[in-house]
Amino acid sequence: MHRFVRPQLLLRDSKQPLLPTAGQLCTNHKSVVSCIRGYVVLPPTNDEEEKAMLHRMMRVDHAGEYGANRIYAGQMAVLGHTQISPLIQEMWDQEKQHLRKFNEILAENRVRPTLLLPLWNIAGFALGAGSALLGKEGAMACTVAVEESISEHYNSQIRTLMEKDPEKYTELLQLIKEFRDDEMEHHDTGLEHDAESVPGYQLMKAIIQAGCKAAICVSERL
Amino acid sequence: ASPLWLDMAALIRGLRAGRALRGLGGVAVQGTRSTQCSNVRRGFHRAALLRLASDSKSDTSVPPPSYHEVHTAGESSSSSAQGESSEDAQPNTSFQDQSGEHSEDYETEEQLQVRILTAALEFVPQHGWNMEAITAGAETLGLSSASTGMFNNGAGDLVLHFVAQCNAQLTETLAEQNNQVQLGQAESKKTGEFLKDAVEMRLRMLVPYIDTWPQAMSILLLPHNIPDSLKHLSTMVDDIWYYAGDRSTDVNWYTRRAALTGIYNTTELVMVQDSSPDFEETWAFLDNRIKDVVNMANTAKQVQATGEAVVQGLMGAAITKEIY
C-alpha cells in the first residue's frame, strides 16, 4: 500500500478537524505526533529499550494484519462468486480497518515496517486461495487456524503490557483488546460455518498455526 | 619512583575503590579540576548521590580508568597559574561550592567530551582529523593535553561527533521548515525539490572541511566505526524522508531510503573531487540523480498499475474457469 503524504494534507483532509492539534505542530521528531486524534496510542517515551519493544510489537502486528488481509483477498479471489462470499467480504473489511489503523500508528511513530512484507503478500494470498480451493469449509478452516494464532499473539502482547505498566499503556491495551475480540469473532464465525468438517482439519490447522508462529517470530526481528 | 607518583598511585587505588563502590549503571562522572584529594573524594560521593537522585537509565559510556588518573596527575604536576585561572573562568564545571549536591553545576563526562570535540573542530583544517586537533581543542578550553586520553577512538570520535552535529542541525532546520509549512507560512515543496534542498543543505556543512573530508570518510569506513556511521547515515536519511512527507508502511519505505542513501553517498564523493566554483557541478550532479530517482518511481508506479490490471484479468479468467 502506497502512502505518501505531505504533512500539510493532514490539516486539509475533510474527515479531520480543521484546527491543528498541538501534536501536528510538534517539531521534535523524536516525540510522538498525535496528529489528528486527541490521544496517542503509543505512549511517548525516551527509553530506547521501551521504544524498541513498542516498535517491534507494532511492526509484527502490522505484518499480521497485512497477512490476514492478503489471506482474505486470496479466499475472495476463489470463492468470490459463491454463497459464502458476503461473509468473507465482511471479515475482510474488518481486517482492512485493522490494517488501516496500524498503518496510521506506524506512520505517526516512524516505525519501520517489516522487510518481509512482499513475502507475506504472496504467502498470505497463496494460503487464502489454496485453502479456498478446498471449498468453503477449507476457507473457514484456514480462517479458524489463522485467527486463533493471531488471538493468541495479541493475548501474549496484552499480557506483556499488563505486566509492565497497565496505566501507561491504556490506549494501546484498549486497541489490542478490541482487535483481539474482532479476531476471536472471526474464529467463532469460522467454526460456525463448518470449518471442522473439512478432511484433514487437525493437520491443516497444525500446519497453518506453525507457519503463523514462524511468521510472527521472523517479522518481529526483520 | 618519586614521592609524588607514590601519592598518585594511592590516589588511583582510592579512585578505583570508589568506582567499585559506585557500581555500574548510570554515570554522572564529574570532570574534576581540583588538585586536592579530598575534593575528588567528595566528587565521587556527590556522583553517587546524584545517581541515586536521578532515575536516568540511559547508559553513557563507562569512563575509561585513565581519565581521572591522567587528569588529576596532569593537574597536580602542572603548577602553573594559568591552570587555576582558567578553572576560575569556567564556574560551570568547577567544584567551588562545598555545600552539597548542586547537580546543575555538574558536567557529565559526555558533555565534556562534546565540548572538547566541538572545540577541536576548528583545528581540523590545520591538523586533520586526528588526536592533534583534539589536543589543540582541549587546550583552548584550558584543559591539559592529557585529557585527550579519554578518547579511545580519537579520530573516529571526532568525525562521528561532527557527523552527529551536522545531522542534528539538519533535522532542526527541516523541523523548523515543516513547522512553517504547517502553519501556512511557507509553501510546501515537491518531493524532488525537497530532497535536493535537504541533501544540498547537509553537504554544504562539509564545505569548511572539504579538503580533509576524504580522510574523514576513510575514518568512517574503518570497521570499528562502521556501525556508528551507518546508524548516523540511516537516521539522517529517515529524517529527510519523514520531513519530505513519506509515511509509507510497505516496501517503499526501504526502496526510498536505499535510493536516497545512494544519492547522498555518490554526491558526497563527487563533492570531494569537485573544484568548480561553489561546487556547481556537485549540485548539478545531485539534481540529475534526483530526477533519475523520481522518474524511476513514476515508471514503477505505472508498471505496478499495469501489472495489477493484468493480474485482475487473469484472476477473472481463472475464476470463471473454476466456477464452470
PDB file of all heavy atoms in Angstrom, chain A residues 74-105:
ATOM      1  N   GLY A  74      -7.106 -13.666  -0.999  1.00  0.00           N
ATOM      2  CA  GLY A  74      -6.969 -14.933  -1.711  1.00  0.00           C
ATOM      3  C   GLY A  74      -8.258 -15.736  -1.669  1.00  0.00           C
ATOM      4  O   GLY A  74      -8.685 -16.316  -2.682  1.00  0.00           O
ATOM      5  N   GLN A  75      -8.885 -15.772  -0.498  1.00  0.00           N
ATOM      6  CA  GLN A  75     -10.127 -16.532  -0.366  1.00  0.00           C
ATOM      7  C   GLN A  75     -11.216 -15.944  -1.255  1.00  0.00           C
ATOM      8  O   GLN A  75     -11.953 -16.669  -1.936  1.00  0.00           O
ATOM      9  CB  GLN A  75     -10.592 -16.546   1.086  1.00  0.00           C
ATOM     10  CG  GLN A  75      -9.710 -17.378   1.992  1.00  0.00           C
ATOM     11  CD  GLN A  75     -10.265 -17.489   3.405  1.00  0.00           C
ATOM     12  OE1 GLN A  75     -11.162 -16.740   3.795  1.00  0.00           O
ATOM     13  NE2 GLN A  75      -9.737 -18.423   4.162  1.00  0.00           N
ATOM     14  N   MET A  76     -11.305 -14.614  -1.276  1.00  0.00           N
ATOM     15  CA  MET A  76     -12.317 -13.960  -2.108  1.00  0.00           C
ATOM     16  C   MET A  76     -12.054 -14.202  -3.582  1.00  0.00           C
ATOM     17  O   MET A  76     -12.990 -14.343  -4.369  1.00  0.00           O
ATOM     18  CB  MET A  76     -12.339 -12.449  -1.846  1.00  0.00           C
ATOM     19  CG  MET A  76     -13.117 -12.031  -0.657  1.00  0.00           C
ATOM     20  SD  MET A  76     -14.817 -12.607  -0.704  1.00  0.00           S
ATOM     21  CE  MET A  76     -15.550 -11.457  -1.835  1.00  0.00           C
ATOM     22  N   ALA A  77     -10.762 -14.252  -3.934  1.00  0.00           N
ATOM     23  CA  ALA A  77     -10.434 -14.461  -5.347  1.00  0.00           C
ATOM     24  C   ALA A  77     -11.004 -15.777  -5.842  1.00  0.00           C
ATOM     25  O   ALA A  77     -11.422 -15.898  -6.994  1.00  0.00           O
ATOM     26  CB  ALA A  77      -8.923 -14.427  -5.527  1.00  0.00           C
ATOM     27  N   VAL A  78     -11.015 -16.789  -4.951  1.00  0.00           N
ATOM     28  CA  VAL A  78     -11.514 -18.104  -5.367  1.00  0.00           C
ATOM     29  C   VAL A  78     -13.007 -18.229  -5.124  1.00  0.00           C
ATOM     30  O   VAL A  78     -13.759 -18.717  -5.967  1.00  0.00           O
ATOM     31  CB  VAL A  78     -10.756 -19.218  -4.613  1.00  0.00           C
ATOM     32  CG1 VAL A  78     -11.332 -20.564  -4.924  1.00  0.00           C
ATOM     33  CG2 VAL A  78      -9.279 -19.153  -4.958  1.00  0.00           C
ATOM     34  N   LEU A  79     -13.448 -17.780  -3.943  1.00  0.00           N
ATOM     35  CA  LEU A  79     -14.852 -18.003  -3.561  1.00  0.00           C
ATOM     36  C   LEU A  79     -15.694 -16.755  -3.725  1.00  0.00           C
ATOM     37  O   LEU A  79     -16.758 -16.650  -3.146  1.00  0.00           O
ATOM     38  CB  LEU A  79     -14.910 -18.450  -2.092  1.00  0.00           C
ATOM     39  CG  LEU A  79     -14.251 -19.783  -1.786  1.00  0.00           C
ATOM     40  CD1 LEU A  79     -14.196 -20.013  -0.289  1.00  0.00           C
ATOM     41  CD2 LEU A  79     -15.018 -20.907  -2.462  1.00  0.00           C
ATOM     42  N   GLY A  80     -15.202 -15.797  -4.509  1.00  0.00           N
ATOM     43  CA  GLY A  80     -15.870 -14.500  -4.599  1.00  0.00           C
ATOM     44  C   GLY A  80     -17.275 -14.555  -5.150  1.00  0.00           C
ATOM     45  O   GLY A  80     -18.061 -13.639  -4.935  1.00  0.00           O
ATOM     46  N   HIS A  81     -17.588 -15.606  -5.891  1.00  0.00           N
ATOM     47  CA  HIS A  81     -18.919 -15.656  -6.505  1.00  0.00           C
ATOM     48  C   HIS A  81     -19.770 -16.756  -5.922  1.00  0.00           C
ATOM     49  O   HIS A  81     -20.657 -17.280  -6.582  1.00  0.00           O
ATOM     50  CB  HIS A  81     -18.765 -15.862  -8.019  1.00  0.00           C
ATOM     51  CG  HIS A  81     -17.967 -14.761  -8.644  1.00  0.00           C
ATOM     52  ND1 HIS A  81     -18.503 -13.522  -8.916  1.00  0.00           N
ATOM     53  CD2 HIS A  81     -16.657 -14.691  -9.009  1.00  0.00           C
ATOM     54  CE1 HIS A  81     -17.557 -12.758  -9.440  1.00  0.00           C
ATOM     55  NE2 HIS A  81     -16.433 -13.422  -9.501  1.00  0.00           N
ATOM     56  N   THR A  82     -19.492 -17.132  -4.677  1.00  0.00           N
ATOM     57  CA  THR A  82     -20.287 -18.185  -4.064  1.00  0.00           C
ATOM     58  C   THR A  82     -21.122 -17.608  -2.945  1.00  0.00           C
ATOM     59  O   THR A  82     -21.094 -16.410  -2.664  1.00  0.00           O
ATOM     60  CB  THR A  82     -19.370 -19.274  -3.477  1.00  0.00           C
ATOM     61  OG1 THR A  82     -18.554 -18.663  -2.487  1.00  0.00           O
ATOM     62  CG2 THR A  82     -18.484 -19.874  -4.541  1.00  0.00           C
ATOM     63  N   GLN A  83     -21.827 -18.499  -2.262  1.00  0.00           N
ATOM     64  CA  GLN A  83     -22.738 -18.051  -1.208  1.00  0.00           C
ATOM     65  C   GLN A  83     -22.007 -17.473  -0.023  1.00  0.00           C
ATOM     66  O   GLN A  83     -22.519 -16.624   0.685  1.00  0.00           O
ATOM     67  CB  GLN A  83     -23.560 -19.244  -0.713  1.00  0.00           C
ATOM     68  CG  GLN A  83     -24.882 -19.381  -1.387  1.00  0.00           C
ATOM     69  CD  GLN A  83     -25.715 -20.449  -0.707  1.00  0.00           C
ATOM     70  OE1 GLN A  83     -25.165 -21.394  -0.122  1.00  0.00           O
ATOM     71  NE2 GLN A  83     -27.004 -20.309  -0.772  1.00  0.00           N
ATOM     72  N   ILE A  84     -20.795 -17.998   0.196  1.00  0.00           N
ATOM     73  CA  ILE A  84     -20.060 -17.609   1.400  1.00  0.00           C
ATOM     74  C   ILE A  84     -19.409 -16.243   1.226  1.00  0.00           C
ATOM     75  O   ILE A  84     -18.863 -15.676   2.177  1.00  0.00           O
ATOM     76  CB  ILE A  84     -19.008 -18.700   1.737  1.00  0.00           C
ATOM     77  CG1 ILE A  84     -18.533 -18.560   3.188  1.00  0.00           C
ATOM     78  CG2 ILE A  84     -17.840 -18.632   0.804  1.00  0.00           C
ATOM     79  CD1 ILE A  84     -19.529 -18.996   4.198  1.00  0.00           C
ATOM     80  N   SER A  85     -19.445 -15.715  -0.007  1.00  0.00           N
ATOM     81  CA  SER A  85     -18.645 -14.514  -0.267  1.00  0.00           C
ATOM     82  C   SER A  85     -19.023 -13.299   0.574  1.00  0.00           C
ATOM     83  O   SER A  85     -18.138 -12.573   1.018  1.00  0.00           O
ATOM     84  CB  SER A  85     -18.643 -14.192  -1.769  1.00  0.00           C
ATOM     85  OG  SER A  85     -19.518 -13.142  -2.062  1.00  0.00           O
ATOM     86  N   PRO A  86     -20.317 -13.007   0.872  1.00  0.00           N
ATOM     87  CA  PRO A  86     -20.578 -11.834   1.721  1.00  0.00           C
ATOM     88  C   PRO A  86     -19.959 -11.957   3.093  1.00  0.00           C
ATOM     89  O   PRO A  86     -19.480 -10.971   3.661  1.00  0.00           O
ATOM     90  CB  PRO A  86     -22.107 -11.803   1.845  1.00  0.00           C
ATOM     91  CG  PRO A  86     -22.641 -12.730   0.839  1.00  0.00           C
ATOM     92  CD  PRO A  86     -21.558 -13.670   0.435  1.00  0.00           C
ATOM     93  N   LEU A  87     -19.943 -13.173   3.626  1.00  0.00           N
ATOM     94  CA  LEU A  87     -19.354 -13.373   4.947  1.00  0.00           C
ATOM     95  C   LEU A  87     -17.852 -13.102   4.927  1.00  0.00           C
ATOM     96  O   LEU A  87     -17.323 -12.386   5.773  1.00  0.00           O
ATOM     97  CB  LEU A  87     -19.610 -14.818   5.393  1.00  0.00           C
ATOM     98  CG  LEU A  87     -19.081 -15.159   6.789  1.00  0.00           C
ATOM     99  CD1 LEU A  87     -19.875 -14.404   7.831  1.00  0.00           C
ATOM    100  CD2 LEU A  87     -19.152 -16.646   7.031  1.00  0.00           C
ATOM    101  N   ILE A  88     -17.180 -13.682   3.925  1.00  0.00           N
ATOM    102  CA  ILE A  88     -15.738 -13.462   3.820  1.00  0.00           C
ATOM    103  C   ILE A  88     -15.452 -11.980   3.590  1.00  0.00           C
ATOM    104  O   ILE A  88     -14.514 -11.418   4.155  1.00  0.00           O
ATOM    105  CB  ILE A  88     -15.129 -14.309   2.683  1.00  0.00           C
ATOM    106  CG1 ILE A  88     -15.377 -15.793   2.931  1.00  0.00           C
ATOM    107  CG2 ILE A  88     -13.631 -14.052   2.573  1.00  0.00           C
ATOM    108  CD1 ILE A  88     -14.789 -16.695   1.873  1.00  0.00           C
ATOM    109  N   GLN A  89     -16.271 -11.350   2.764  1.00  0.00           N
ATOM    110  CA  GLN A  89     -16.075  -9.930   2.483  1.00  0.00           C
ATOM    111  C   GLN A  89     -16.171  -9.118   3.754  1.00  0.00           C
ATOM    112  O   GLN A  89     -15.386  -8.193   3.991  1.00  0.00           O
ATOM    113  CB  GLN A  89     -17.139  -9.460   1.468  1.00  0.00           C
ATOM    114  CG  GLN A  89     -17.003  -8.011   1.051  1.00  0.00           C
ATOM    115  CD  GLN A  89     -15.741  -7.751   0.265  1.00  0.00           C
ATOM    116  OE1 GLN A  89     -15.396  -8.497  -0.651  1.00  0.00           O
ATOM    117  NE2 GLN A  89     -15.012  -6.730   0.650  1.00  0.00           N
ATOM    118  N   GLU A  90     -17.164  -9.475   4.607  1.00  0.00           N
ATOM    119  CA  GLU A  90     -17.344  -8.731   5.858  1.00  0.00           C
ATOM    120  C   GLU A  90     -16.116  -8.858   6.739  1.00  0.00           C
ATOM    121  O   GLU A  90     -15.601  -7.872   7.286  1.00  0.00           O
ATOM    122  CB  GLU A  90     -18.579  -9.281   6.567  1.00  0.00           C
ATOM    123  CG  GLU A  90     -19.057  -8.430   7.723  1.00  0.00           C
ATOM    124  CD  GLU A  90     -20.095  -9.187   8.541  1.00  0.00           C
ATOM    125  OE1 GLU A  90     -20.951  -9.866   7.921  1.00  0.00           O
ATOM    126  OE2 GLU A  90     -20.034  -9.110   9.785  1.00  0.00           O
ATOM    127  N   MET A  91     -15.631 -10.106   6.859  1.00  0.00           N
ATOM    128  CA  MET A  91     -14.444 -10.303   7.698  1.00  0.00           C
ATOM    129  C   MET A  91     -13.243  -9.566   7.102  1.00  0.00           C
ATOM    130  O   MET A  91     -12.420  -8.980   7.813  1.00  0.00           O
ATOM    131  CB  MET A  91     -14.147 -11.809   7.840  1.00  0.00           C
ATOM    132  CG  MET A  91     -15.245 -12.544   8.596  1.00  0.00           C
ATOM    133  SD  MET A  91     -14.752 -14.147   9.257  1.00  0.00           S
ATOM    134  CE  MET A  91     -14.770 -15.162   7.798  1.00  0.00           C
ATOM    135  N   TRP A  92     -13.159  -9.587   5.783  1.00  0.00           N
ATOM    136  CA  TRP A  92     -12.057  -8.909   5.097  1.00  0.00           C
ATOM    137  C   TRP A  92     -12.109  -7.407   5.380  1.00  0.00           C
ATOM    138  O   TRP A  92     -11.089  -6.768   5.631  1.00  0.00           O
ATOM    139  CB  TRP A  92     -12.140  -9.188   3.598  1.00  0.00           C
ATOM    140  CG  TRP A  92     -10.952  -8.711   2.820  1.00  0.00           C
ATOM    141  CD1 TRP A  92      -9.754  -8.304   3.299  1.00  0.00           C
ATOM    142  CD2 TRP A  92     -10.860  -8.606   1.405  1.00  0.00           C
ATOM    143  NE1 TRP A  92      -8.917  -7.961   2.291  1.00  0.00           N
ATOM    144  CE2 TRP A  92      -9.571  -8.132   1.116  1.00  0.00           C
ATOM    145  CE3 TRP A  92     -11.739  -8.871   0.347  1.00  0.00           C
ATOM    146  CZ2 TRP A  92      -9.133  -7.915  -0.182  1.00  0.00           C
ATOM    147  CZ3 TRP A  92     -11.305  -8.650  -0.949  1.00  0.00           C
ATOM    148  CH2 TRP A  92     -10.010  -8.171  -1.206  1.00  0.00           C
ATOM    149  N   ASP A  93     -13.318  -6.846   5.343  1.00  0.00           N
ATOM    150  CA  ASP A  93     -13.440  -5.411   5.590  1.00  0.00           C
ATOM    151  C   ASP A  93     -12.956  -5.041   6.980  1.00  0.00           C
ATOM    152  O   ASP A  93     -12.317  -4.002   7.175  1.00  0.00           O
ATOM    153  CB  ASP A  93     -14.898  -4.958   5.405  1.00  0.00           C
ATOM    154  CG  ASP A  93     -15.307  -4.973   3.937  1.00  0.00           C
ATOM    155  OD1 ASP A  93     -14.405  -4.912   3.084  1.00  0.00           O
ATOM    156  OD2 ASP A  93     -16.511  -5.050   3.653  1.00  0.00           O
ATOM    157  N   GLN A  94     -13.274  -5.911   7.951  1.00  0.00           N
ATOM    158  CA  GLN A  94     -12.797  -5.629   9.305  1.00  0.00           C
ATOM    159  C   GLN A  94     -11.268  -5.666   9.357  1.00  0.00           C
ATOM    160  O   GLN A  94     -10.632  -4.841  10.023  1.00  0.00           O
ATOM    161  CB  GLN A  94     -13.365  -6.657  10.291  1.00  0.00           C
ATOM    162  CG  GLN A  94     -14.704  -6.255  10.831  1.00  0.00           C
ATOM    163  CD  GLN A  94     -15.164  -7.161  11.949  1.00  0.00           C
ATOM    164  OE1 GLN A  94     -14.979  -8.377  11.887  1.00  0.00           O
ATOM    165  NE2 GLN A  94     -15.788  -6.594  12.951  1.00  0.00           N
ATOM    166  N   GLU A  95     -10.684  -6.637   8.661  1.00  0.00           N
ATOM    167  CA  GLU A  95      -9.224  -6.700   8.640  1.00  0.00           C
ATOM    168  C   GLU A  95      -8.635  -5.469   7.967  1.00  0.00           C
ATOM    169  O   GLU A  95      -7.585  -4.961   8.371  1.00  0.00           O
ATOM    170  CB  GLU A  95      -8.746  -7.956   7.896  1.00  0.00           C
ATOM    171  CG  GLU A  95      -9.182  -9.263   8.516  1.00  0.00           C
ATOM    172  CD  GLU A  95      -8.551  -9.492   9.893  1.00  0.00           C
ATOM    173  OE1 GLU A  95      -7.638  -8.738  10.273  1.00  0.00           O
ATOM    174  OE2 GLU A  95      -8.997 -10.417  10.588  1.00  0.00           O
ATOM    175  N   LYS A  96      -9.321  -4.994   6.925  1.00  0.00           N
ATOM    176  CA  LYS A  96      -8.828  -3.778   6.244  1.00  0.00           C
ATOM    177  C   LYS A  96      -8.797  -2.614   7.219  1.00  0.00           C
ATOM    178  O   LYS A  96      -7.862  -1.804   7.224  1.00  0.00           O
ATOM    179  CB  LYS A  96      -9.755  -3.422   5.072  1.00  0.00           C
ATOM    180  CG  LYS A  96      -9.559  -4.240   3.843  1.00  0.00           C
ATOM    181  CD  LYS A  96     -10.380  -3.684   2.689  1.00  0.00           C
ATOM    182  CE  LYS A  96     -10.460  -4.710   1.570  1.00  0.00           C
ATOM    183  NZ  LYS A  96     -11.597  -4.496   0.689  1.00  0.00           N
ATOM    184  N   GLN A  97      -9.822  -2.563   8.065  1.00  0.00           N
ATOM    185  CA  GLN A  97      -9.877  -1.495   9.061  1.00  0.00           C
ATOM    186  C   GLN A  97      -8.702  -1.600  10.029  1.00  0.00           C
ATOM    187  O   GLN A  97      -8.050  -0.604  10.373  1.00  0.00           O
ATOM    188  CB  GLN A  97     -11.181  -1.654   9.847  1.00  0.00           C
ATOM    189  CG  GLN A  97     -11.936  -0.385  10.078  1.00  0.00           C
ATOM    190  CD  GLN A  97     -13.162  -0.666  10.930  1.00  0.00           C
ATOM    191  OE1 GLN A  97     -13.511  -1.821  11.182  1.00  0.00           O
ATOM    192  NE2 GLN A  97     -13.792   0.370  11.388  1.00  0.00           N
ATOM    193  N   HIS A  98      -8.442  -2.829  10.486  1.00  0.00           N
ATOM    194  CA  HIS A  98      -7.320  -3.034  11.390  1.00  0.00           C
ATOM    195  C   HIS A  98      -6.022  -2.584  10.740  1.00  0.00           C
ATOM    196  O   HIS A  98      -5.189  -1.920  11.358  1.00  0.00           O
ATOM    197  CB  HIS A  98      -7.188  -4.525  11.758  1.00  0.00           C
ATOM    198  CG  HIS A  98      -8.283  -5.032  12.618  1.00  0.00           C
ATOM    199  ND1 HIS A  98      -8.297  -6.309  13.136  1.00  0.00           N
ATOM    200  CD2 HIS A  98      -9.417  -4.444  13.074  1.00  0.00           C
ATOM    201  CE1 HIS A  98      -9.394  -6.492  13.851  1.00  0.00           C
ATOM    202  NE2 HIS A  98     -10.088  -5.381  13.828  1.00  0.00           N
ATOM    203  N   LEU A  99      -5.854  -2.971   9.469  1.00  0.00           N
ATOM    204  CA  LEU A  99      -4.608  -2.632   8.771  1.00  0.00           C
ATOM    205  C   LEU A  99      -4.453  -1.125   8.643  1.00  0.00           C
ATOM    206  O   LEU A  99      -3.369  -0.578   8.848  1.00  0.00           O
ATOM    207  CB  LEU A  99      -4.582  -3.282   7.391  1.00  0.00           C
ATOM    208  CG  LEU A  99      -3.311  -3.024   6.582  1.00  0.00           C
ATOM    209  CD1 LEU A  99      -2.113  -3.591   7.296  1.00  0.00           C
ATOM    210  CD2 LEU A  99      -3.426  -3.628   5.188  1.00  0.00           C
ATOM    211  N   ARG A 100      -5.581  -0.475   8.341  1.00  0.00           N
ATOM    212  CA  ARG A 100      -5.532   0.985   8.223  1.00  0.00           C
ATOM    213  C   ARG A 100      -5.054   1.604   9.530  1.00  0.00           C
ATOM    214  O   ARG A 100      -4.241   2.523   9.550  1.00  0.00           O
ATOM    215  CB  ARG A 100      -6.930   1.498   7.887  1.00  0.00           C
ATOM    216  CG  ARG A 100      -6.920   2.705   6.966  1.00  0.00           C
ATOM    217  CD  ARG A 100      -8.311   3.041   6.509  1.00  0.00           C
ATOM    218  NE  ARG A 100      -8.925   1.963   5.731  1.00  0.00           N
ATOM    219  CZ  ARG A 100     -10.203   1.603   5.806  1.00  0.00           C
ATOM    220  NH1 ARG A 100     -11.034   2.222   6.618  1.00  0.00           N
ATOM    221  NH2 ARG A 100     -10.667   0.626   5.076  1.00  0.00           N
ATOM    222  N   LYS A 101      -5.563   1.068  10.628  1.00  0.00           N
ATOM    223  CA  LYS A 101      -5.196   1.601  11.932  1.00  0.00           C
ATOM    224  C   LYS A 101      -3.699   1.431  12.181  1.00  0.00           C
ATOM    225  O   LYS A 101      -3.021   2.340  12.657  1.00  0.00           O
ATOM    226  CB  LYS A 101      -5.986   0.844  13.013  1.00  0.00           C
ATOM    227  CG  LYS A 101      -5.712   1.317  14.404  1.00  0.00           C
ATOM    228  CD  LYS A 101      -6.303   2.654  14.617  1.00  0.00           C
ATOM    229  CE  LYS A 101      -5.830   3.221  15.932  1.00  0.00           C
ATOM    230  NZ  LYS A 101      -6.087   4.608  16.043  1.00  0.00           N
ATOM    231  N   PHE A 102      -3.196   0.232  11.863  1.00  0.00           N
ATOM    232  CA  PHE A 102      -1.776   0.013  12.100  1.00  0.00           C
ATOM    233  C   PHE A 102      -0.919   0.849  11.161  1.00  0.00           C
ATOM    234  O   PHE A 102       0.161   1.303  11.545  1.00  0.00           O
ATOM    235  CB  PHE A 102      -1.430  -1.471  11.971  1.00  0.00           C
ATOM    236  CG  PHE A 102      -1.729  -2.243  13.217  1.00  0.00           C
ATOM    237  CD1 PHE A 102      -2.618  -3.299  13.199  1.00  0.00           C
ATOM    238  CD2 PHE A 102      -1.136  -1.902  14.423  1.00  0.00           C
ATOM    239  CE1 PHE A 102      -2.913  -3.996  14.350  1.00  0.00           C
ATOM    240  CE2 PHE A 102      -1.429  -2.594  15.575  1.00  0.00           C
ATOM    241  CZ  PHE A 102      -2.315  -3.640  15.544  1.00  0.00           C
ATOM    242  N   ASN A 103      -1.387   1.062   9.949  1.00  0.00           N
ATOM    243  CA  ASN A 103      -0.646   1.947   9.049  1.00  0.00           C
ATOM    244  C   ASN A 103      -0.500   3.327   9.654  1.00  0.00           C
ATOM    245  O   ASN A 103       0.563   3.948   9.607  1.00  0.00           O
ATOM    246  CB  ASN A 103      -1.348   2.060   7.693  1.00  0.00           C
ATOM    247  CG  ASN A 103      -1.014   0.900   6.783  1.00  0.00           C
ATOM    248  OD1 ASN A 103       0.038   0.295   6.916  1.00  0.00           O
ATOM    249  ND2 ASN A 103      -1.901   0.595   5.869  1.00  0.00           N
ATOM    250  N   GLU A 104      -1.600   3.791  10.249  1.00  0.00           N
ATOM    251  CA  GLU A 104      -1.560   5.105  10.904  1.00  0.00           C
ATOM    252  C   GLU A 104      -0.534   5.133  12.014  1.00  0.00           C
ATOM    253  O   GLU A 104       0.268   6.051  12.130  1.00  0.00           O
ATOM    254  CB  GLU A 104      -2.927   5.384  11.538  1.00  0.00           C
ATOM    255  CG  GLU A 104      -3.820   6.305  10.759  1.00  0.00           C
ATOM    256  CD  GLU A 104      -5.167   6.447  11.467  1.00  0.00           C
ATOM    257  OE1 GLU A 104      -5.154   6.715  12.683  1.00  0.00           O
ATOM    258  OE2 GLU A 104      -6.175   6.256  10.785  1.00  0.00           O
ATOM    259  N   ILE A 105      -0.584   4.098  12.865  1.00  0.00           N
ATOM    260  CA  ILE A 105       0.323   4.068  14.014  1.00  0.00           C
ATOM    261  C   ILE A 105       1.770   4.023  13.541  1.00  0.00           C
ATOM    262  O   ILE A 105       2.639   4.726  14.062  1.00  0.00           O
ATOM    263  CB  ILE A 105       0.028   2.850  14.915  1.00  0.00           C
ATOM    264  CG1 ILE A 105      -1.358   2.990  15.533  1.00  0.00           C
ATOM    265  CG2 ILE A 105       1.084   2.718  16.002  1.00  0.00           C
ATOM    266  CD1 ILE A 105      -1.752   1.824  16.394  1.00  0.00           C
TER     267      ILE A 105
END
